[in-house]
């Protein structure tokens, strides 16, 4: 992309990252496909959320059924009016009949209003509970899940999909039951009044059932596609808003607009397809019963003319049939709303079914407990085997057994291998056999070329990612045996790309510790050289805005560093935390940071020689392996690759240099 902002743009490629958002649910069809999918099974999964309000929901359905059945009583009153007071020319009877019909109508309206009052508040609570569950679950999912899913897809599941589910619970769910009951009672009334005419009206039932079944299968695919496209569109809008500086800086507003228009056109086409399907089924659902009513009217008129049927019975029969028009005609859009709610439920539970990180730990612990119990039965004196962490393969031979727990063993990587979960089996691992020991109270700098695995290695310590094989221990304790809350209280992290939230500067820093107080906040700001906070309009109580974009990059990075050290962590992991600082500020931060590093065990990703000098030792990573370990001076003399990195040039590694670096790494590890 040219740097100039004024240029003629080419259309955005179809496979551009901004042209189409990605989501796992678009790459492969929903589980089971449309063929064996059951809307009923999907909707039944909502029961745990509905159960707390089931009394009011069932009461609302009962009230609605009573109200609907009251509507079926009105034709019987009309029959009595026509065959009685009207035929006998009795005005008093006519007024009485009219009063009865008025009372029935008022009662029906009042009951329907009462039904809405019963469900409004509880179902809003159901939506809120589901949204809270989704948010809580998202916070507990591993980072690898968030790496795979587009944020827009998650946002649409927490907003649009939950609104569809609430609408389903409030209206279609109730009225499928109500209308089904009304149709059944109405058909019984019709057959009781005149069975021959009743059979004429029931003739369209079989074709209507077949049409509705076909419509449901076809509408499901369109509804799922539309909801996925809403997620894509949400992703594009979110990225355009968050990246507005890039869009404007490079003049990419036209290509972003093209991507947005393309997605809106696709969504519009899908919605029109849904509308055509709904229009088709609704036309048939309305036409077939109307034809049946017309045939019944002709046949009934003939029977009245022949004296085989009273006029009042015909009026009551046709009035009952007309009262059933709405329940029958509503089947089309009620089925459509049910399918949309079912696909929304599928999308919601796609996320909720993802295993939480802690769930994998509990499963591993349960498996280890069962194995230990089994072993104890066979040999009561035998020690329990070590727990095998979930989602790992056996460690390769070589590192040996885990050392006994030590109160001051530092950070130890033993035979660590890491491969991304979605990587193929033939893909080279990002980390391959890492054996590294950061002694207690020591600061170890990680140095290596881009892609050597430095950031990935640091992400394993707080268990943002899980090793594919091997183990990581803190003071002799395998991190998989530590509850995540305890682990993350021990380990603090600061990333190269600082993330701030829409909160005050002080609140962003205090996120690093639940127990930190204002004096801890001031100390952390002082060490991170974040004195600029005190010059903000309201000091550390100043809102920094979304992503902290009201601050400079160096200011955001200093706040992130303060957040990492505010809780005085036992272990500190810093991923190039000073990259956005100027030389003068960097020197001040480093001078203050030495006080913190003197009292903690730290792992620091470093790209600058000044940052390397903060460390007691340096580990050189190359191709996912530890190529050398030693002090800064030792590596300068013993590793050509390290000298090249420190000099800021790229050199090709020779086999001799590799061998020398590996030997030096072993020597440094023995120190």
């Amino acid at each position: 992309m040219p740097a100039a902002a004024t240029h003629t743009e080419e259309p955005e490629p179809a496979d551009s990252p901004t042209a189409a958002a990605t989501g796992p649910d678009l790459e492969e069809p929903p589980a089971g496909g449309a063929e064996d999918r059951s809307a009923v099974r999907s909707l039944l999964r909502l029961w745990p959320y509905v159960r707390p309000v089931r009394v009011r929901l069932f009461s609302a359905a009962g009230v609605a059924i009573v109200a609907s059945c009251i509507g079926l009583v009105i034709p019987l009153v009309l029959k009595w009016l026509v065959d009685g007071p009207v035929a006998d020319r009795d005005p008093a009877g006519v007024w009485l009949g009219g009063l009865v019909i008025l009372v029935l109508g008022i009662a029906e309206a009042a009951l329907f209003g009462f039904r809405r009052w019963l469900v409004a508040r509880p179902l809003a609570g159901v939506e809120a509970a589901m949204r809270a569950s989704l948010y809580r679950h998202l916070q507990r999912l591993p980072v690898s899940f968030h790496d795979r899913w587009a944020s827009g897809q998650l946002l649409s599941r927490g907003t649009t999909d939950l609104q569809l589910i609430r609408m389903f619970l409030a209206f279609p769910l109730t009225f499928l039951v109500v209308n089904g009951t009304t149709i059944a009672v109405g058909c019984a009334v019709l057959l009781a009044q005149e069975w021959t005419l009743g059979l004429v009206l029931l003739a369209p039932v079989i074709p209507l059932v077949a049409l509705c079944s076909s419509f449901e299968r076809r509408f499901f695919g369109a509804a799922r596609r539309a909801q996925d496209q809403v997620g894509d569109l949400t992703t594009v809008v979110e990225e355009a808003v968050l990246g507005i500086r890039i869009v404007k800086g490079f003049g990419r507003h036209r290509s972003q607009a093209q991507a947005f228009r393309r997605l809106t056109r696709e969504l519009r086409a899908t919605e029109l397809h849904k509308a055509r399907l709904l229009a088709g089924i609704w036309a048939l659902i309305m036409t077939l019963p109307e034809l049946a009513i017309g045939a019944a009217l002709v046949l009934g008129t003939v029977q009245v003319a022949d004296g085989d049927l009273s006029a009042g019975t015909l009026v009551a029969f046709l009035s009952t049939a007309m009262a059933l028009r709405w329940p029958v005609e509503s089947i089309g859009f009620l089925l459509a709303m049910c399918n949309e709610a079912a696909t929304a439920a599928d999308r919601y539970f796609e996320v909720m079914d993802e295993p939480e990180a802690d769930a994998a730990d509990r499963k591993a612990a349960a498996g280890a407990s069962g194995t230990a119990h089994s072993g104890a039965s066979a040999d009561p004196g035998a020690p329990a085997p070590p727990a095998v962490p979930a989602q790992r393969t056996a460690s390769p031979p070589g590192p040996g057994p885990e050392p006994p727990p030590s109160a001051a063993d530092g950070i130890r990587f033993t035979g660590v291998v890491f491969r991304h979960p979605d990587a193929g089996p033939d893909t080279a691992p990002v980390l391959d056999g890492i054996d590294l020991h950061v002694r207690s109270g020591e600061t170890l700098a990680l140095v290596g070329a881009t892609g050597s695995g430095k950031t990935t290695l640091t992400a394993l310590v707080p268990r943002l990612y899980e090793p594919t094989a091997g183990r990581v221990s803190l003071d002799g304790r395998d991190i998989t045996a530590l509850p995540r809350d305890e682990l993350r209280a021990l380990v603090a992290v600061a990333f190269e790309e600082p993330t701030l939230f829409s909160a005050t500067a002080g609140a962003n820093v205090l996120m690093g510790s639940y127990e930190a107080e204002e004096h801890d906040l001031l100390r952390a700001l002082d060490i991170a050289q974040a004195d600029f906070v005190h010059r903000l309009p309201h000091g550390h109580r100043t809102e920094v805005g979304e992503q902290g974009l009201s601050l400079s990059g160096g200011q955001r990075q200093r706040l992130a560093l303060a957040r990492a050290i505010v809780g005085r962590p036992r272990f500190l992991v810093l991923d190039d935390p000073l990259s956005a600082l100027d030389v003068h500020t960097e020197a001040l931060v480093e001078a203050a940071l030495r006080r913190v590093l003197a009292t903690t065990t730290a792992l620091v990703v470093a790209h600058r020689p000044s940052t390397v000098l903060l460390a007691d030792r340096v580990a050189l990573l190359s191709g996912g392996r530890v190529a050398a370990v030693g002090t800064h001076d030792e590596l300068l003399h013993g590793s050509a690759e390290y000298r090249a990195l420190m000099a800021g040039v790229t050199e090709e590694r020779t086999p001799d240099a590799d061998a020398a670096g590996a030997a030096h790494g072993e020597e440094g590890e023995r120190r």
Side-chain angles (χ1 to χ4, degrees), residues 94-153:
V94 172
W95 282 105
L96 177 62
L99 180 61
V100 171
I101 292 174
L102 177 62
V103 170
L104 291 174
I106 293 174
E108 182 181 7
L111 288 173
F112 275 121
F114 182 54
R115 181 207 71 85
R116 177 156 311 259
W117 176 83
L118 281 173
V119 300
R121 184 182 295 272
L123 293 183
V126 169
E127 181 185 11
M130 293 184 69
R131 185 172 289 116
S133 295
L134 179 65
Y135 180 81
R136 183 170 57 251
H137 188 67
L138 287 173
Q139 300 302 305
R140 296 176 177 176
L141 288 173
V143 175
S144 57
F145 168 85
H146 294 280
D147 290 343
R148 293 183 289 112
W149 281 71
S151 56
Q153 290 288 346

